[in-house]
């Protein structure tokens, strides 16, 4: 018996998604979003490629603008990579000693209760050098919002380990990775703050993906809304990338953030 061989009909290749670059485009590009937040006075910064701080800055400024707080808000910063925001954001700022931002913000809020007062600090500034300040501000139910940008390194001074560096993380002072037997365990600032009765809201977000960014923006907006309503102390931790301090390629920063930091510090609303 002879069988007729079957042939597979040719398939049409899927449409290409690449954009040819060997000739001008057939149609002009279309702008789908603003290139910067309304309160940004510039787009250039001196931070390393792949740093997550500028993303956090942008959504913070978007929240302040959307809540119409631009002319009635005061930010308090310490010292760190994040401090670059003061020359790029068109709002009022105060700078203080390492870790003391919650204490300074407390004074500002008590003198100007009608103003939205917030701190912007890194994990080295808040967790390593000013943990007592943020805990006592929360315990007193101060009507301020504290924001901690957590990348697990003292980036501004060269990339040393902080109290929030995760187990196994390499830094300039833990080249083999953070070892609990030698260095102890990371301090979960958001979780500590959430246990204090004076705290009205605590959340932890990140900037490692588009979804996380949108979620973090909602957390920041909720924290400011509750402060304006007089609910009490509010706190938002934002996990950000630092490929330079982590010794990983720039493009691998978001993946490293998810695999290490988000595993140790889960995202979500805590209180």
């Amino acid at each position: 018996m002879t069988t007729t061989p079957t042939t597979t009909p040719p398939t049409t290749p899927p449409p290409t998604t690449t954009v040819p670059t060997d000739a001008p485009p057939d149609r002009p590009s279309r702008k789908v979003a603003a290139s910067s937040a309304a309160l940004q006075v510039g787009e250039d910064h001196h931070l390393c490629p792949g740093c997550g701080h500028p993303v956090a800055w942008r959504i913070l400024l978007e929240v302040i603008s959307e809540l119409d707080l631009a002319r009635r808000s005061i930010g308090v910063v310490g010292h760190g990579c994040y401090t670059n925001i003061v020359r790029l954001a068109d709002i009022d700022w105060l700078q203080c000693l390492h870790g003391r931002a919650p204490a300074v913000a407390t004074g500002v809020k008590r003198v100007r209760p009608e103003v939205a007062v917030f701190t912007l600090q890194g994990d080295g500034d808040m967790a390593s050098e000013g943990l007592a300040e943020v805990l006592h501000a929360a315990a007193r139910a101060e009507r301020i919002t504290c924001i901690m940008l957590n990348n697990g390194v003292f980036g501004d001074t060269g990339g040393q380990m902080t109290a929030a560096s995760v187990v196994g993380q390499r830094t300039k002072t833990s080249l083999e990775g953070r070892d609990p037997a030698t260095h102890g365990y990371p301090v979960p600032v958001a979780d500590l703050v959430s246990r204090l009765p004076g705290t009205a809201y605590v959340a932890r977000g990140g900037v490692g993906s588009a979804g996380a960014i949108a979620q973090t923006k909602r957390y920041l907006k909720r924290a400011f809304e509750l402060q304006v309503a007089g609910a009490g102390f509010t706190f938002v931790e934002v996990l950000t990338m630092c490929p330079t301090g982590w010794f990983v390629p720039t493009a691998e920063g978001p993946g490293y953030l998810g695999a290490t930091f988000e595993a140790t510090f889960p995202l979500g609303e805590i209180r």
Side-chain angles (χ1 to χ4, degrees):
M1 180 177 179
T2 303
T3 58
T4 303
T6 58
T7 58
T8 303
T11 58
T12 302
T16 179
T17 57
T18 60
V19 178
T21 59
D22 57 349
D26 296 331
R27 55 185 179 180
S29 59
R30 183 168 58 93
K31 188 174 183 179
V32 297
S35 59
S36 61
L39 294 174
Q40 283 183 233
V41 296
E43 298 179 17
D44 297 328
H45 58 77
H46 301 303
L47 304 188
C48 302
C51 177
H53 284 9
V55 181
W57 295 349
R58 172 167 179 149
I59 58 176
L60 169 62
L61 295 180
E62 287 176 348
V63 165
I64 292 173
S65 180
E66 292 170 10
L67 293 178
D68 196 25
L69 296 175
R71 294 294 173 261
R72 54 190 185 98
S73 63
I74 298 176
V76 184
V77 297
H79 295 264
C81 298
Y82 62 89
T83 312
N84 279 269
I85 192 177
V86 301
R87 65 181 186 84
L88 297 174
D90 187 20
I91 59 176
D92 291 328
W93 297 97
L94 290 172
Q95 186 173 12
C96 60
L97 296 175
H98 261 308
R100 307 302 174 237
V104 174
T106 293
V108 173
K109 185 69 175 184
R110 293 191 179 195
V111 173
R112 298 286 305 276
E114 78 285 0
V115 173
V117 181
F118 67 96
T119 75
L120 185 66
Q121 301 169 261
D123 54 291
D125 188 281
M126 180 181 285
S128 292
E129 302 194 57
L131 184 58
E133 302 288 350
V134 69
L135 292 179
H136 283 290
R140 295 192 304 267
E142 300 292 348
R143 293 185 296 111
I144 62 176
T145 298
C146 288
I147 304 166
M148 182 176 79
L149 303 183
N150 182 6
N151 58 18
V153 295
F154 275 105
D156 195 44
T157 54
Q160 298 86 356
M161 182 174 59
T162 76
S165 299
V166 299
V167 173
Q169 179 189 340
R170 297 181 66 205
T171 70
K172 291 288 180 64
T173 50
S174 58
L175 293 177
E176 302 302 321
R178 179 170 188 160
D179 177 14
T182 303
H183 309 117
Y185 290 91
V187 176
V189 180
D191 299 86
L192 295 178
V193 168
S194 71
R195 297 177 63 84
L196 298 173
T199 303
Y201 181 78
V202 180
R204 181 186 292 119
V207 295
S209 68
I213 293 168
Q215 182 185 59
T216 303
K217 182 177 177 179
R218 292 194 294 270
Y219 295 160
L220 288 169
K221 179 172 285 189
R222 183 60 176 158
F224 276 95
E225 288 173 340
L226 288 169
Q227 180 194 158
V228 172
F233 181 83
T234 59
F235 182 93
V236 179
E237 177 180 355
V238 184
L239 305 181
T240 72
M241 293 81 72
C242 182
T244 301
W246 296 341
F247 304 98
V248 301
T250 300
E252 295 180 14
Y256 184 91
L257 183 76
T260 57
F261 279 79
E262 292 181 15
T264 302
F265 304 119
L267 307 185
E269 293 180 307
I270 302 173
R271 178 177 179 132

